[in-house]
Amino acid sequence: KGIEEGIYQGIEQGIEQGKQQGQQEGEYRLLLRQLQRKFLTISETYQQKIQQADAETLLIWGERILEANNLDDIFK
């Protein structure tokens, strides 16, 4: 019984981790596309910064796009 519970918990944790990674990947891709559309080119430095950011930070940056005049406005 204990082994079964351990397996079940492992599966649940794996599913949750997969969901979080998928959400973060989606937010990363959307933010990058929005930035490219608004500013045309994104430096390698900013691309790396976006790639390393967590999901919450990506959401904050995504909201800042609406009022940003330049990339520095987003990543301040």
Side-chain angles (χ1 to χ4, degrees):
K1 179 117 178 140
I3 293 174
E4 288 177 16
E5 288 179 17
I7 291 171
Y8 179 76
Q9 286 178 342
I11 291 171
E12 288 295 314
Q13 288 174 348
I15 290 170
E16 185 61 33
Q17 187 176 19
K19 285 179 184 178
Q20 289 173 355
Q21 288 174 345
Q23 179 182 2
Q24 186 169 354
E25 176 69 20
E27 290 166 2
Y28 160 77
R29 293 180 65 174
L30 178 60
L31 178 61
L32 195 57
R33 288 184 69 168
Q34 289 173 326
L35 291 170
Q36 289 170 336
R37 183 160 185 157
K38 184 165 184 168
F39 300 110
L40 301 180
T41 58
I42 311 303
S43 72
E44 185 66 31
T45 302
Y46 283 129
Q47 288 183 37
Q48 288 177 353
K49 195 170 189 165
I50 295 165
Q51 201 167 27
Q52 295 170 353
D54 60 32
E56 183 63 28
T57 302
L58 293 170
L59 287 173
I60 291 168
W61 290 342
E63 291 172 351
R64 289 181 183 169
I65 288 175
L66 300 173
E67 297 175 358
N69 294 315
N70 57 56
L71 287 169
D72 291 333
D73 290 343
I74 295 167
F75 298 101
K76 61 183 175 184

